[in-house]
Amino acid sequence: MCGIIGIVGQVPVAPLLVDALKRLEYRGYDSAGIATIEGGELARRRAEGKLVNLEHRLDEEPLAGTIGIGHTRWATHGVPNETNAHPHFSNGVAIVHNGIIENFAELRQELVEDGYAFTSQTDTEVVAHLVSRELKRGARPVDAAHRALKRLEGAFALAIMFQGDDDLIIGARNGPPLAIGHGKGEMYLGSDAIALAPFTNSVTYLEDGDWAVVRRNHVEIFDMKGEPVERPRQQSVGSSFLVDKGNYHHFMEKEIHEQPEVISHTLAHYLDFTEGRARALDLPFDFAKLDRLAMSACGTAYLAGSIGKYWFERYARLPVDIDIASEFRYREMPLSGKSAALFISQSGETADTLASLRYCRDQNVPIGAVVNVRGSTIAREADVTFPILAGPEVGVASTKAFTCQLSALASLAVMAGVARGHIASEAESILIRQLAEAPRFANQVLRLSDQIEKVARELSRVRHVLYLGRDTSYPLAMEGALKLKEISYIHAEGYAAGELKHGPIALIDETMPVIVIAPHDRIFDKTMSNMQEVAARGGRIILITDEAGAARTSLTTMDTIVLPDVPEFIAPIVYALPIQLLAYFTAVAMGTDVDQPRNLAKSVTVE
Ligand code: F6R
């Protein structure tokens, strides 16, 4: 988390730094700051809260200078206030940092004993003092930075600037991403290529353990031993325009509405609708020979994978283990020579997912990754990337990335089913025809927005909500709960409907709405029995179903959201939309910051 930027430029850099930080705000928005060298002296402006506060600060007190670094923060060590905001200074050294310095407590103790005074509660300030101590001991800036870097444990992307040298920024990476942008007589450093896109699309990604000496006309990259290393220069695919909300009130609303289009782009990438066939892909494994697929991801991406598990097992008869990445990475799962691993990540930078990928790589398991951000670390480290064509997702709550992840996973499940001989040619074209219909059904669901908004107004008055579903609607129930809690701050839980009577039913009373996701499928009647159990205890039900489902149920304490009749295979893609809309309208009714909810960040690059 946190976004960092550095520019060694020709023109005043303060406005360019702020512009780049706007592109990085998805990484954190607790506070922001920039530093430049103005008239030979380090100078900085910092502000608590959103970037707009920093912009106001700079309007009142502008900063000159053609070299600078900037930071947008997601707090790990120290509360989000101006004092803890980056850049941090120590005797002519300025520093911005993304990550966690795990040995900061020992280092801090050592520096305090050496007479260094700390002004913030951050782990970052130790790095500034370490570098400045090396300068004091007589090292030149580059060596001082290298010596300090060797003392650090943990995850970091850093940019370091020195008073007295306005042609030098040191960048370093160990964990969180850092890219160098090559300009003409100007150089850049940034957490991702999108931040750098308006300046240049020629980028070099640092690898773990790399550090770089960045000057206007020259860049050198070294490993931790100080040996020069070569890293390729690449054309980035970062979009140079800052995505806007168009006529929508929030990015999340816009992204929900983009789904029919982006689902169809994603499906078309994998499926040939004219031939009714899955496209042939060049894979590092053969689906037919696998005995297991290990999947891992975090948050919403994990829930997409959990739905994917049902599809791979049902349609391809391929056993799937799906794990939360922060568990997978430490649980030492045995992987056979017939396994493949699949990681799912919108950002392609999530620290736990990346660590899980590396665990599988060490086990020599072929690796696929379903990612949105091309050029991201997970995309680059996988043996094969399965892109989702969602486009930039700005709202912190994942919406269109989720349904695009589902679209990619459903397509891959069909591909696997065909390869393993469980989906015959006719069945393949039926499943592909069903998937082709998903965007149209998604569009129909969007037309129910007014009705869903009315239900959401009621939800906005409660403190707890339960979501229930069976089969693929079970992970969807968890996704509904996740979406609601993260943007409305209402406590919500998603449960397998059959689990209700094993505990959660004790919570049911007239104050607890229960949202039941139940397309009229093979197990609809089972879910209805669970619904009756809720009604019998005075629980208020919001049923999301189709016409056939609605016709079979009538309870007085009930709202019903009636979706189009959709084939069972694609139901999770279509049913994702009403749960997103419910969360969205609830949050709007409560007046929360929908696109940037408290305590969250779009890209989670720390454990
Ligand atoms: C929830 C949400 C998060 C992410 C999770 C993984 O709306 O967005 O739960 O899904 O942080 O992020 P990625 O997909 O970037 O790995």
Side-chain angles (χ1 to χ4, degrees):
M1 347 268 267
C2 304
I4 66 178
I5 178 76
I7 304 177
V8 196
Q10 305 269 8
V11 297
V13 290
L16 305 179
L17 291 169
V18 171
D19 186 52
L21 289 179
K22 284 185 188 159
R23 291 163 207 286
L24 290 171
E25 214 180 2
Y26 73 90
R27 304 179 73 89
Y29 37 77
D30 291 339
S31 62
I34 63 168
T36 63
I37 300 183
E38 188 181 50
E41 301 281 325
L42 285 181
R44 71 180 164 192
R45 304 286 180 267
R46 301 180 293 173
E48 184 180 330
K50 301 277 168 66
L51 197 51
V52 66
N53 299 345
L54 177 67
E55 286 183 287
H56 293 322
R57 200 61 227 290
L58 284 160
D59 286 344
E60 287 157 15
E61 285 184 272
L63 265 188
T66 57
I67 179 171
I69 55 178
H71 189 265
T72 175
R73 181 165 187 247
W74 185 84
T76 57
H77 295 57
V79 295
N81 60 18
E82 185 173 332
T83 317
N84 288 328
H86 301 213
H88 289 285
F89 282 3
S90 174
N91 302 321
V93 175
I95 194 155
V96 288
H97 167 218
N98 167 26
I100 294 176
I101 307 296
E102 285 171 1
N103 58 338
F104 96 100
E106 296 113 83
L107 293 172
R108 190 177 166 120
Q109 179 67 25
E110 176 187 316
L111 287 156
V112 168
E113 283 165 13
D114 223 5
Y116 284 83
F118 281 77
T119 56
S120 77
Q121 302 156 308
T122 65
D123 52 340
T124 307
E125 201 180 348
V126 296
V127 190
H129 288 323
L130 279 179
V131 178
S132 113
R133 185 169 67 173
E134 294 302 332
L135 287 176
K136 200 166 145 210
R137 289 172 173 170
R140 289 173 310 127
V142 171
D143 299 324
H146 182 209
R147 284 185 204 166
L149 289 172
K150 287 200 282 192
R151 301 287 319 274
L152 305 181
E153 286 167 23
F156 50 82
L158 292 159
I160 312 171
M161 192 170 68
F162 300 85
Q163 183 163 300
D165 191 343
D166 75 351
D167 189 23
L168 174 66
I169 295 179
I170 305 277
R173 173 190 181 179
N174 193 42
L178 192 61
I180 295 169
H182 304 265
K184 287 208 180 78
E186 298 185 323
M187 292 288 173
Y188 310 90
L189 267 173
S191 294
D192 67 23
I194 294 178
L196 304 180
F199 313 130
T200 178
N201 60 4
S202 171
V203 298
T204 301
Y205 293 100
L206 294 187
E207 293 185 6
D208 279 350
D210 286 355
W211 59 284
V213 177
V214 179
R215 302 186 190 275
R216 276 184 187 82
N217 291 305
H218 192 55
V219 172
E220 289 169 288
I221 305 175
F222 301 93
D223 63 16
M224 251 328 131
K225 287 194 219 104
E227 300 294 331
V229 287
E230 291 290 324
R231 303 290 177 226
R233 238 204 240 198
Q234 309 178 11
Q235 291 296 109
S236 86
V237 287
S239 158
S240 65
F241 61 93
L242 191 61
V243 199
D244 68 31
K245 292 201 272 269
N247 291 329
Y248 294 96
H249 298 95
H250 300 97
F251 279 108
M252 183 177 176
E253 185 188 19
K254 175 172 176 256
E255 287 158 5
I256 290 172
H257 282 261
E258 280 171 358
Q259 289 180 105
E261 193 182 340
V262 293
I263 291 169
S264 101
H265 291 169
T266 303
L267 290 170
H269 182 85
Y270 296 98
L271 307 173
D272 181 338
F273 294 126
T274 321
E275 297 292 323
R277 297 281 164 262
R279 296 185 195 282
L281 298 181
D282 191 10
L283 298 178
F285 50 81
D286 179 352
F287 272 124
K289 296 195 176 130
L290 295 183
D291 67 3
R292 178 148 72 163
L293 185 61
M295 282 206 251
S296 179
C298 299
T300 288
Y302 162 76
L303 295 169
S306 305
I307 291 172
K309 173 184 165 78
Y310 284 84
W311 285 331
F312 277 106
E313 294 188 340
R314 180 164 298 149
Y315 297 103
R317 312 302 300 157
L318 174 58
V320 171
D321 288 302
I322 170 91
D323 273 76
I324 291 170
S326 54
E327 290 299 314
F328 182 90
R329 64 181 290 184
Y330 295 116
R331 86 175 170 95
E332 298 173 30
M333 178 190 186
L335 290 156
S336 78
K338 287 186 175 174
S339 306
L342 188 62
F343 300 92
I344 308 159
S345 176
Q346 186 286 128
S347 63
E349 301 293 353
T350 302
D352 287 318
T353 311
L354 180 59
S356 304
L357 181 155
R358 289 175 178 167
Y359 171 80
C360 289
R361 196 180 52 203
D362 292 345
Q363 307 285 310
N364 294 319
V365 169
I367 292 162
V370 176
V371 286
N372 193 29
V373 179
R374 293 184 197 195
S376 57
T377 311
I378 289 174
R380 282 183 284 119
E381 293 199 12
D383 299 317
V384 59
T385 302
F386 302 113
I388 61 168
L389 283 78
E393 190 179 63
V394 179
V396 162
S398 190
T399 51
K400 61 176 180 170
F402 177 65
T403 46
C404 286
Q405 285 159 351
L406 291 180
S407 304
L409 290 168
S411 306
L412 291 173
V414 173
M415 228 171 266
V418 172
R420 295 168 69 80
H422 293 291
I423 298 179
S425 174
E426 199 184 329
E428 180 184 12
S429 55
I430 291 172
L431 291 173
I432 289 176
R433 262 206 313 277
Q434 293 181 348
L435 281 168
E437 292 285 297
R440 180 171 69 83
F441 288 127
N443 227 342
Q444 288 178 21
V445 174
L446 291 174
R447 291 194 211 118
L448 303 175
S449 293
D450 289 349
Q451 188 205 346
I452 296 173
E453 185 174 8
K454 273 196 207 122
V455 177
R457 259 183 251 139
E458 282 188 44
L459 270 194
S460 69
R461 289 193 272 270
V462 306
R463 286 314 305 148
H464 308 277
V465 179
L466 208 57
Y467 286 72
L468 298 179
R470 280 176 185 260
D471 202 82
T472 53
S473 298
Y474 162 44
L476 207 52
M478 291 198 279
E479 170 61 5
L482 175 61
K483 223 67 324 162
L484 187 73
K485 61 188 149 196
E486 70 182 321
I487 60 169
S488 73
Y489 317 144
I490 293 173
H491 170 234
E493 299 293 340
Y495 264 96
E499 272 289 289
L500 185 70
K501 56 178 90 54
H502 298 285
I505 200 162
L507 296 168
I508 305 291
D509 63 16
E510 52 295 334
T511 67
M512 169 79 112
V514 180
I515 298 177
V516 182
I517 305 167
H520 188 258
D521 54 16
R522 291 169 295 125
I523 42 174
F524 177 81
D525 288 341
K526 309 277 176 204
T527 313
M528 281 313 100
S529 307
N530 305 131
M531 218 170 87
Q532 298 287 355
E533 290 155 12
V534 172
R537 286 154 183 88
R540 170 154 186 70
I541 292 161
I542 298 164
L543 172 65
I544 306 177
T545 185
D546 46 28
E547 275 175 29
R552 283 178 62 89
T553 21
S554 62
L555 294 169
T556 45
T557 56
M558 190 169 97
D559 269 313
T560 311
I561 298 171
V562 183
L563 306 192
D565 284 325
V566 301
E568 182 180 331
F569 180 37
I570 63 164
I573 303 176
V574 179
Y575 277 65
L577 274 74
I579 60 165
Q580 295 167 350
L581 286 167
L582 258 184
Y584 172 73
F585 287 123
T586 306
V588 170
M590 297 187 74
T592 59
D593 190 341
V594 172
D595 284 332
Q596 296 185 328
R598 69 187 181 202
N599 306 338
L600 294 176
K602 186 77 185 156
S603 177
V604 183
T605 55
V606 292
E607 282 194 50

Short mmCIF file of all heavy atoms in Angstrom, two decimals, residues 50-79:
data_model
loop_
_atom_site.label_atom_id
_atom_site.label_comp_id
_atom_site.label_asym_id
_atom_site.label_seq_id
_atom_site.Cartn_x
_atom_site.Cartn_y
_atom_site.Cartn_z
N LYS A 50 -7.22 13.23 2.48
CA LYS A 50 -7.15 13.03 1.03
C LYS A 50 -6.19 14.01 0.37
O LYS A 50 -5.88 15.08 0.89
CB LYS A 50 -8.54 13.21 0.43
CG LYS A 50 -9.59 12.27 0.98
CD LYS A 50 -9.53 10.92 0.27
CE LYS A 50 -10.35 9.86 0.96
NZ LYS A 50 -11.76 10.08 0.95
N LEU A 51 -5.84 13.67 -0.85
CA LEU A 51 -4.87 14.45 -1.62
C LEU A 51 -5.31 15.90 -1.83
O LEU A 51 -4.49 16.82 -1.93
CB LEU A 51 -4.73 13.75 -2.98
CG LEU A 51 -3.54 14.06 -3.85
CD1 LEU A 51 -2.25 13.94 -3.08
CD2 LEU A 51 -3.53 13.11 -5.04
N VAL A 52 -6.61 16.07 -1.85
CA VAL A 52 -7.14 17.42 -2.06
C VAL A 52 -6.63 18.37 -0.96
O VAL A 52 -6.39 19.56 -1.20
CB VAL A 52 -8.68 17.37 -2.18
CG1 VAL A 52 -9.33 16.95 -0.90
CG2 VAL A 52 -9.25 18.64 -2.72
N ASN A 53 -6.42 17.83 0.24
CA ASN A 53 -5.91 18.66 1.33
C ASN A 53 -4.48 19.13 1.05
O ASN A 53 -4.10 20.25 1.37
CB ASN A 53 -5.96 17.91 2.66
CG ASN A 53 -7.37 17.52 3.03
OD1 ASN A 53 -8.32 18.03 2.45
ND2 ASN A 53 -7.53 16.61 3.97
N LEU A 54 -3.71 18.23 0.45
CA LEU A 54 -2.34 18.60 0.08
C LEU A 54 -2.38 19.67 -1.02
O LEU A 54 -1.59 20.63 -1.00
CB LEU A 54 -1.56 17.37 -0.40
CG LEU A 54 -0.14 17.65 -0.89
CD1 LEU A 54 0.75 18.11 0.27
CD2 LEU A 54 0.48 16.39 -1.54
N GLU A 55 -3.31 19.51 -1.94
CA GLU A 55 -3.42 20.52 -3.02
C GLU A 55 -3.73 21.90 -2.44
O GLU A 55 -3.15 22.90 -2.84
CB GLU A 55 -4.51 20.11 -4.02
CG GLU A 55 -4.08 18.97 -4.91
CD GLU A 55 -5.14 18.62 -5.94
OE1 GLU A 55 -6.17 18.03 -5.56
OE2 GLU A 55 -4.95 18.97 -7.12
N HIS A 56 -4.65 21.94 -1.45
CA HIS A 56 -4.96 23.23 -0.80
C HIS A 56 -3.71 23.81 -0.14
O HIS A 56 -3.43 24.99 -0.22
CB HIS A 56 -6.07 23.07 0.25
CG HIS A 56 -7.40 22.72 -0.36
ND1 HIS A 56 -7.82 23.26 -1.54
CD2 HIS A 56 -8.40 21.90 0.06
CE1 HIS A 56 -9.03 22.77 -1.85
NE2 HIS A 56 -9.40 21.95 -0.89
N ARG A 57 -2.98 22.95 0.52
CA ARG A 57 -1.75 23.35 1.20
C ARG A 57 -0.78 23.99 0.19
O ARG A 57 -0.17 25.02 0.44
CB ARG A 57 -1.18 22.07 1.79
CG ARG A 57 -0.20 22.08 2.90
CD ARG A 57 -0.71 22.70 4.14
NE ARG A 57 0.34 23.62 4.57
CZ ARG A 57 1.51 23.24 5.05
NH1 ARG A 57 1.77 21.97 5.23
NH2 ARG A 57 2.41 24.13 5.38
N LEU A 58 -0.66 23.32 -0.96
CA LEU A 58 0.27 23.81 -1.98
C LEU A 58 -0.23 25.10 -2.64
O LEU A 58 0.56 25.93 -3.09
CB LEU A 58 0.51 22.73 -3.05
CG LEU A 58 1.44 21.61 -2.59
CD1 LEU A 58 1.26 20.36 -3.45
CD2 LEU A 58 2.89 22.06 -2.62
N ASP A 59 -1.55 25.27 -2.69
CA ASP A 59 -2.09 26.54 -3.21
C ASP A 59 -1.65 27.69 -2.30
O ASP A 59 -1.27 28.76 -2.74
CB ASP A 59 -3.62 26.51 -3.25
CG ASP A 59 -4.12 25.63 -4.37
OD1 ASP A 59 -3.30 25.33 -5.26
OD2 ASP A 59 -5.30 25.22 -4.33
N GLU A 60 -1.72 27.40 -0.97
CA GLU A 60 -1.34 28.45 -0.01
C GLU A 60 0.17 28.65 0.01
O GLU A 60 0.66 29.77 0.08
CB GLU A 60 -1.78 28.06 1.41
CG GLU A 60 -3.28 28.16 1.62
CD GLU A 60 -3.75 27.28 2.77
OE1 GLU A 60 -2.93 26.81 3.58
OE2 GLU A 60 -4.97 27.03 2.83
N GLU A 61 0.90 27.56 -0.04
CA GLU A 61 2.36 27.63 0.06
C GLU A 61 2.98 26.77 -1.04
O GLU A 61 3.33 25.60 -0.79
CB GLU A 61 2.82 27.07 1.41
CG GLU A 61 2.57 27.96 2.58
CD GLU A 61 3.17 27.29 3.81
OE1 GLU A 61 2.44 26.49 4.44
OE2 GLU A 61 4.34 27.53 4.11
N PRO A 62 3.12 27.30 -2.25
CA PRO A 62 3.64 26.50 -3.35
C PRO A 62 5.08 26.07 -3.10
O PRO A 62 5.78 26.67 -2.27
CB PRO A 62 3.55 27.42 -4.57
CG PRO A 62 2.72 28.58 -4.15
CD PRO A 62 2.78 28.67 -2.66
N LEU A 63 5.50 25.04 -3.83
CA LEU A 63 6.88 24.55 -3.72
C LEU A 63 7.54 24.65 -5.09
O LEU A 63 6.99 24.16 -6.08
CB LEU A 63 6.87 23.06 -3.34
CG LEU A 63 7.00 22.65 -1.90
CD1 LEU A 63 7.17 21.13 -1.81
CD2 LEU A 63 8.19 23.32 -1.23
N ALA A 64 8.73 25.25 -5.15
CA ALA A 64 9.49 25.28 -6.40
C ALA A 64 10.45 24.08 -6.43
O ALA A 64 10.49 23.30 -5.48
CB ALA A 64 10.25 26.59 -6.51
N GLY A 65 11.23 23.97 -7.48
CA GLY A 65 12.23 22.90 -7.56
C GLY A 65 11.95 21.94 -8.69
O GLY A 65 10.79 21.66 -9.00
N THR A 66 13.04 21.44 -9.32
CA THR A 66 12.88 20.55 -10.48
C THR A 66 13.17 19.09 -10.14
O THR A 66 13.27 18.25 -11.02
CB THR A 66 13.81 21.02 -11.63
OG1 THR A 66 15.15 21.03 -11.13
CG2 THR A 66 13.42 22.39 -12.14
N ILE A 67 13.36 18.81 -8.88
CA ILE A 67 13.51 17.42 -8.43
C ILE A 67 12.60 17.24 -7.22
O ILE A 67 12.48 18.16 -6.39
CB ILE A 67 14.98 17.09 -8.08
CG1 ILE A 67 15.10 15.64 -7.59
CG2 ILE A 67 15.55 18.04 -7.02
CD1 ILE A 67 16.54 15.16 -7.43
N GLY A 68 11.93 16.08 -7.14
CA GLY A 68 11.06 15.90 -5.98
C GLY A 68 10.59 14.47 -5.83
O GLY A 68 10.68 13.65 -6.75
N ILE A 69 10.09 14.19 -4.63
CA ILE A 69 9.49 12.88 -4.34
C ILE A 69 8.12 13.11 -3.68
O ILE A 69 7.88 14.17 -3.11
CB ILE A 69 10.38 12.01 -3.42
CG1 ILE A 69 10.74 12.77 -2.12
CG2 ILE A 69 11.66 11.59 -4.14
CD1 ILE A 69 11.59 11.94 -1.14
N GLY A 70 7.24 12.13 -3.83
CA GLY A 70 5.89 12.29 -3.27
C GLY A 70 5.35 10.98 -2.76
O GLY A 70 5.84 9.90 -3.11
N HIS A 71 4.29 11.07 -1.97
CA HIS A 71 3.78 9.89 -1.26
C HIS A 71 2.31 10.04 -0.95
O HIS A 71 1.85 11.10 -0.54
CB HIS A 71 4.56 9.75 0.06
CG HIS A 71 4.31 8.48 0.79
ND1 HIS A 71 3.38 8.38 1.80
CD2 HIS A 71 4.87 7.26 0.67
CE1 HIS A 71 3.39 7.14 2.27
NE2 HIS A 71 4.29 6.44 1.60
N THR A 72 1.56 8.97 -1.16
CA THR A 72 0.19 8.93 -0.64
C THR A 72 0.12 7.71 0.27
O THR A 72 0.59 6.63 -0.08
CB THR A 72 -0.86 8.95 -1.77
OG1 THR A 72 -2.13 8.80 -1.18
CG2 THR A 72 -0.65 7.88 -2.82
N ARG A 73 -0.41 7.90 1.49
CA ARG A 73 -0.16 6.93 2.57
C ARG A 73 -1.36 6.06 2.92
O ARG A 73 -2.50 6.54 2.92
CB ARG A 73 0.27 7.71 3.82
CG ARG A 73 0.58 6.86 5.03
CD ARG A 73 1.34 7.63 6.11
NE ARG A 73 1.76 6.74 7.18
CZ ARG A 73 1.30 6.78 8.42
NH1 ARG A 73 0.43 7.70 8.77
NH2 ARG A 73 1.71 5.92 9.33
N TRP A 74 -1.09 4.83 3.21
CA TRP A 74 -2.03 3.94 3.90
C TRP A 74 -1.30 3.53 5.17
O TRP A 74 -0.30 2.83 5.14
CB TRP A 74 -2.34 2.72 3.03
CG TRP A 74 -3.38 1.83 3.64
CD1 TRP A 74 -4.74 1.97 3.54
CD2 TRP A 74 -3.15 0.65 4.43
NE1 TRP A 74 -5.36 0.96 4.24
CE2 TRP A 74 -4.42 0.14 4.79
CE3 TRP A 74 -2.01 0.00 4.88
CZ2 TRP A 74 -4.57 -1.00 5.56
CZ3 TRP A 74 -2.17 -1.14 5.67
CH2 TRP A 74 -3.44 -1.63 5.99
N ALA A 75 -1.80 4.03 6.29
CA ALA A 75 -1.03 3.95 7.54
C ALA A 75 -0.79 2.52 8.00
O ALA A 75 -1.72 1.71 8.05
CB ALA A 75 -1.76 4.72 8.62
N THR A 76 0.47 2.20 8.32
CA THR A 76 0.76 0.94 9.02
C THR A 76 1.27 1.26 10.42
O THR A 76 0.69 0.86 11.41
CB THR A 76 1.81 0.08 8.27
OG1 THR A 76 3.00 0.84 8.10
CG2 THR A 76 1.29 -0.40 6.94
N HIS A 77 2.35 2.05 10.51
CA HIS A 77 2.92 2.41 11.82
C HIS A 77 2.65 3.88 12.08
O HIS A 77 3.21 4.74 11.41
CB HIS A 77 4.43 2.17 11.83
CG HIS A 77 4.80 0.72 11.68
ND1 HIS A 77 4.41 -0.06 10.63
CD2 HIS A 77 5.53 -0.09 12.50
CE1 HIS A 77 4.88 -1.28 10.78
NE2 HIS A 77 5.56 -1.32 11.91
N GLY A 78 1.81 4.15 13.06
CA GLY A 78 1.52 5.55 13.39
C GLY A 78 0.21 6.00 12.77
O GLY A 78 -0.11 5.65 11.62
N VAL A 79 -0.53 6.78 13.53
CA VAL A 79 -1.86 7.22 13.09
C VAL A 79 -1.73 8.10 11.84
O VAL A 79 -0.67 8.69 11.59
CB VAL A 79 -2.60 8.03 14.19
CG1 VAL A 79 -2.89 7.15 15.37
CG2 VAL A 79 -1.78 9.25 14.61
#
